[in-house]
Amino acid sequence: MNARDRILHAALRLIGEQGVGAVTNRAVARAAGVSLGSLTYHFPNQSDLLREALHTFVEEEIARITARVERLRTAGIDADQAADEVEKAIVEFSYGPEQLANLELHLHASRDPAVRATSTRSVEAYDRLATAVLTALGIPDAERHAPAVVAMLYGLAVRRLSTGDTTATGTADAFRLLLHGALPRD
């Protein structure tokens, strides 16, 4: 891993463990094992670092989820099986500081316009991914329903993180409820 990537991952860990306020140049450089000069070379200011940390997390997460969705799509699963797979994917996701950092950075974006555009793009990327999943499941108006799926999953993530629940219990049921509500009635 190059210095830039080490810096971004160190920033995510620090944010997840101690909050955005813990992200000082010295703390990030120390956690990444790089010099202060290297950090400021790659990220001249805090907003650049926070924006890129969020972008990095989201891109890696989208790639992970997209690969899983593609495997499921080729397997031809139905809506109920998809709901179970969503819950499994959440349980497999590292219940670590990076997931908490993701949420912290989205909240931080509401106060920092320099990070807001990246937050908006990441939510749009999750919406596109949810649209692809819903489309693969034959859900009509998938694009219209995707934001509700994303919002539900974000809300459940906040619930899991705030309660310490590492099981994701109930995620499949919630996803199933949304899917069945969006399916056409015969």
Side-chain angles (χ1 to χ4, degrees), residues 2-178:
N2 63 36
R4 185 177 192 283
D5 290 339
R6 288 196 321 269
I7 292 166
L8 291 170
H9 285 91
L12 284 168
R13 273 192 320 278
L14 280 172
I15 294 166
E17 291 168 355
Q18 301 174 34
V20 174
V23 179
T24 65
N25 285 351
R26 290 188 194 290
V28 173
R30 187 173 34 258
V34 300
S35 70
L36 194 56
S38 179
L39 184 139
T40 57
Y41 169 79
H42 290 289
F43 304 101
N45 61 57
Q46 290 294 72
S47 290
D48 289 343
L49 177 58
L50 296 175
R51 184 177 54 248
E52 287 303 309
L54 177 60
H55 177 76
T56 295
F57 175 85
V58 169
E59 288 300 314
E60 289 173 359
E61 181 67 355
I62 293 289
R64 182 185 73 82
I65 294 169
T66 300
R68 186 179 191 104
V69 166
E70 186 56 31
R71 284 192 308 273
L72 296 175
R73 189 181 64 74
T74 59
I77 64 170
D78 65 21
D80 287 324
Q81 293 167 318
D84 291 332
E85 290 299 322
V86 166
E87 186 169 290
K88 286 180 197 171
I90 289 170
V91 170
E92 288 174 8
F93 179 66
S94 62
Y95 188 83
E98 291 81 6
Q99 187 178 17
L100 187 54
N102 177 42
L103 294 172
E104 288 248 2
L105 284 167
H106 284 294
L107 292 173
H108 178 75
S110 69
R111 294 180 295 276
D112 185 346
V115 179
R116 189 172 301 133
T118 300
S119 178
T120 299
R121 282 194 308 276
S122 72
V123 171
E124 290 168 350
Y126 284 125
D127 285 350
R128 285 190 303 276
L129 182 59
T131 299
V133 170
L134 296 175
T135 300
L137 292 170
I139 303 293
D141 293 327
E143 192 171 324
R144 182 171 65 94
H145 297 300
V149 170
V150 172
M152 178 202 66
L153 293 173
Y154 267 115
L156 290 171
V158 169
R159 181 183 174 94
R160 279 190 317 280
L161 290 167
S162 65
T163 63
D165 176 14
T166 59
T167 66
T169 302
T171 301
D173 290 337
F175 192 58
R176 203 173 279 112
L177 181 66
L178 280 179

